[in-house]
Amino acid sequence: MNQWQGKKWYCYGTSMTDITLSDGTSRPSYSKYLAEYAGLEMHNFGKGGSGIIPRFHGDDNIKTRCMRLDDGKAEADLITVEIIPNDFLGELGNVTDLCDETFCGNLNQIIEYLLLNTNATVAILTASRSRYKYDNESVKFLPTGRTTKKWLDWEDAISTICRMHGIQFWNGASEAGLGYYRTCKDNALVQDQIHLTEKGAEVLGKYFLGKLNSIYPYEINN
């Protein structure tokens, strides 16, 4: 039995979620593989370069895309929001924040909105971590380095917030086998500082499939 076959999936996130490049060509993404493997009807609202802290991303960002209903998400069975990479220069804040200025504050707002305004199963996602600084390949982000420690602090905050709201956190960055020493030895899984190859996207898609298979759609009429 596949409990997600034919269900409507609305996915939001960064370039890791978005399946279309600016020139119209396709981008390797876990979203393509997860939709295929789970039999989901995918509605992809990922946006490359975007995040959830509004002041960094203009009027059209991950937060504003999540906190609206005119895209059809009121009918969604599953909603996922993939986050972190493009907000990493912002302030993390506290897990109880409700403000627009911090990462935690915006995440709390997004989750509250989705749970109040849809009947979808909601999950928050991370994809993969950067191997090195995007504009300087010589600056490596080692597992024991300061940048990775900061990323882990953000993951911990997401995990706590998701537990507070009673939803799942699918931590692909820590759990999908895409760690630094696996990805840095060649470009088989990651093609640049962070973006996945087709093989890397398949690996991440299978990880998310395992998480999805452990839960069921919320059947309001049952």
Side-chain angles (χ1 to χ4, degrees):
M1 182 184 71
N2 177 5
Q3 66 269 29
W4 293 100
Q5 181 68 42
K7 298 297 185 181
K8 295 180 180 179
W9 173 33
Y10 281 67
C11 49
Y12 302 84
T14 70
S15 57
M16 307 300 289
T17 295
D18 190 3
I19 58 174
T20 305
L21 292 165
S22 58
D23 62 4
T25 58
S26 62
R27 177 203 309 272
S29 175
Y30 72 86
S31 53
K32 178 183 74 172
Y33 289 97
L34 180 57
E36 177 185 342
Y37 295 149
L40 292 161
E41 177 189 308
M42 178 174 63
H43 300 262
N44 194 312
F45 291 92
K47 183 180 180 182
S50 192
I52 67 171
I53 304 177
R55 73 174 185 272
F56 294 136
H57 306 294
D59 294 334
D60 180 23
N61 53 68
I62 295 174
K63 180 184 179 184
T64 57
R65 290 186 175 200
C66 287
M67 296 180 67
R68 55 189 289 188
L69 294 177
D70 59 3
D71 59 1
K73 72 165 64 66
E75 303 299 321
D77 299 292
L78 173 69
I79 297 174
T80 63
V81 187
E82 173 259 318
I83 50 177
I84 285 188
N86 301 316
D87 285 315
F88 210 40
L89 294 178
E91 181 184 349
L92 174 60
N94 300 308
V95 296
T96 53
D97 284 352
L98 296 172
C99 61
D100 295 329
E101 288 70 39
T102 69
F103 179 82
C104 289
N106 287 291
L107 182 56
N108 275 314
Q109 290 181 51
I110 289 169
I111 295 172
E112 177 184 350
Y113 181 89
L114 294 176
L115 293 177
L116 284 175
N117 290 280
T118 78
N119 291 314
T121 297
V122 177
I124 305 301
L125 284 56
T126 58
S128 57
R129 302 189 195 112
S130 297
R131 301 186 291 179
Y132 51 81
K133 191 175 180 182
Y134 78 96
D135 59 352
N136 187 349
E137 192 172 342
S138 67
V139 180
K140 310 293 186 182
F141 294 152
L142 300 173
T144 53
R146 181 181 303 172
T147 298
T148 302
K149 175 58 172 63
K150 179 180 176 181
W151 188 290
L152 291 174
D153 290 340
W154 286 51
E155 288 180 5
D156 289 344
I158 296 169
S159 178
T160 297
I161 289 171
C162 287
R163 294 200 308 273
M164 288 163 51
H165 288 282
I167 65 172
Q168 290 205 349
F169 172 35
W170 301 350
N171 194 350
S174 282
E175 300 175 356
L178 296 170
Y180 178 81
Y181 291 115
R182 175 59 53 84
T183 62
C184 75
K185 61 185 178 182
D186 53 35
N187 292 324
L189 298 171
V190 179
Q191 58 183 287
D192 51 25
Q193 84 279 8
I194 192 171
H195 297 99
L196 300 170
T197 62
E198 285 292 344
K199 184 59 179 178
E202 181 183 1
V203 168
L204 187 60
K206 287 179 177 177
Y207 166 76
F208 289 146
L209 177 68
K211 305 297 284 188
L212 183 62
N213 281 341
S214 70
I215 56 178
Y216 289 78
Y218 178 60
E219 305 288 358
I220 191 170
N221 295 322
N222 287 354

